[in-house]
Amino acid sequence: MGFPPSAQPLPDVKRVLAVFAHPDDVDFGSGGTVARWITDGLDVAYLIVTRGDAGGFDDTPREQMPILREAEQRAAAAELGVHDVTFLDGYFDGRLTATVELRRDITRAIRRFRPDRVLTSSPLRRWERIAGPSHPDHLAVGEATTCAVYPDARNEFAYPELVAAGLQPWVVREIWYQSGPNPDHVVDVTDTFAAKLAALRHHVTQTSHMDLEPFLRERHATIARGAGLPDDRLAEAFTIIRTE
Ligand SMILES: [Zn+2]
């Protein structure tokens, strides 16, 4: 099972909510695109499900990791011009499943922010590259977010406690999936690549041991070439699904 061909992006999007499992997910997969959306005047907010407490690569005290990673994500977001960053409580890195509770918490964020577009991780596994993109937490958040978009956020009878709290149903019209199988909508991020790199460098606990720039340039040049863009271009790739 794969995705159908991407829809064309909606032309009248004003607000985008990005929902991801860990600090750094949005920056690795979509940092250049988010920077472009900000430049284009879109209002972008992040909902991060965990504080990445199982991440890191060195002897940083484990109890420090979630504190450091929340601060890193906030700094990376600010680097791209995103200032509305929410972390969920009660969810832990490496233990996510698409529970009804997680769907409800994502639905709450959707009804609060009322996005036209949601950006999230693919719920479909990439069998050719299961490390990284197909981390089970990414798949779980992609699935829970998809369920929150349809039917939860738009169904007035789902989660009466949210309606009682004044959060009315909301229809998200479009989902962008990052890191899924065969993404076919490319965004030219040549002009925002420097901002993406700067954002990723804020994730010190995750990236300070990496030679980031050549790694990213190669990845984004390959995507651009595959999409037939000129040789000097860099691109990120997505699958776009209409959800009305
Ligand atoms: Zn991740």
Side-chain angles (χ1 to χ4, degrees):
M1 182 178 65
F3 286 117
S6 283
Q8 281 301 306
L10 289 167
D12 57 344
V13 168
K14 294 190 174 66
R15 287 183 303 281
V16 183
L17 179 65
V19 186
F20 287 95
H22 313 121
D24 82 10
D25 290 344
V26 65
D27 297 301
F28 267 113
S30 306
T33 299
V34 167
R36 275 197 58 167
W37 288 341
I38 295 288
T39 303
D40 290 345
L42 303 193
D43 197 0
V44 181
Y46 292 171
L47 179 71
I48 312 295
V49 176
T50 78
R51 289 174 175 78
D53 45 285
F57 60 90
D58 59 14
D59 55 3
T60 301
R62 299 312 304 172
E63 68 276 12
Q64 285 296 312
M65 193 56 71
I67 299 163
L68 291 170
R69 295 199 68 186
E70 176 174 344
E72 290 171 356
Q73 180 64 90
R74 291 186 185 282
E79 187 75 46
L80 303 181
V82 176
H83 302 288
D84 183 341
V85 181
T86 302
F87 286 81
L88 292 179
D89 292 316
Y91 296 98
F92 298 96
D93 187 351
R95 297 189 229 164
L96 295 182
T97 54
T99 60
V100 170
E101 290 73 25
L102 179 54
R103 286 166 52 177
R104 180 203 58 209
D105 290 344
I106 297 169
T107 297
R108 181 185 292 112
I110 288 172
R111 290 193 188 179
R112 273 190 186 139
F113 189 64
R114 303 189 147 214
D116 308 293
R117 171 182 296 159
V118 161
L119 167 68
T120 190
S121 46
S122 168
L124 300 182
R125 187 181 284 280
R126 277 172 56 182
W127 286 107
E128 82 285 8
R129 190 160 171 265
I130 70 164
S134 297
H135 187 297
D137 286 354
H138 299 172
L139 303 177
V141 168
E143 177 64 20
T145 301
T146 305
C147 297
V149 167
Y150 177 81
D152 298 353
R154 67 187 65 180
N155 180 0
E156 63 182 306
F157 304 114
Y159 314 116
E161 67 272 34
L162 297 185
V163 176
L167 297 170
Q168 298 302 320
W170 180 256
V171 177
V172 176
R173 294 182 290 147
E174 182 183 87
I175 304 181
W176 287 43
Y177 292 108
Q178 81 173 32
S179 306
N182 305 314
D184 61 352
H185 179 83
V186 298
V187 176
D188 187 325
V189 297
T190 314
D191 296 341
T192 53
F193 179 75
K196 170 173 183 151
L197 196 56
L200 278 166
R201 287 196 166 123
H202 285 290
H203 294 284
V204 174
T205 62
Q206 309 306 302
T207 64
S208 59
H209 63 309
M210 298 171 70
D211 200 0
L212 264 182
E213 183 162 3
F215 164 75
L216 287 174
R217 266 192 191 283
E218 173 56 30
R219 173 192 285 188
H220 297 309
T222 301
I223 294 170
R225 269 198 306 276
L229 297 181
D231 270 353
D232 60 341
R233 308 312 286 177
L234 303 171
E236 292 172 340
F238 303 88
T239 297
I240 303 174
I241 305 286
R242 290 277 175 86
T243 52
E244 279 182 285

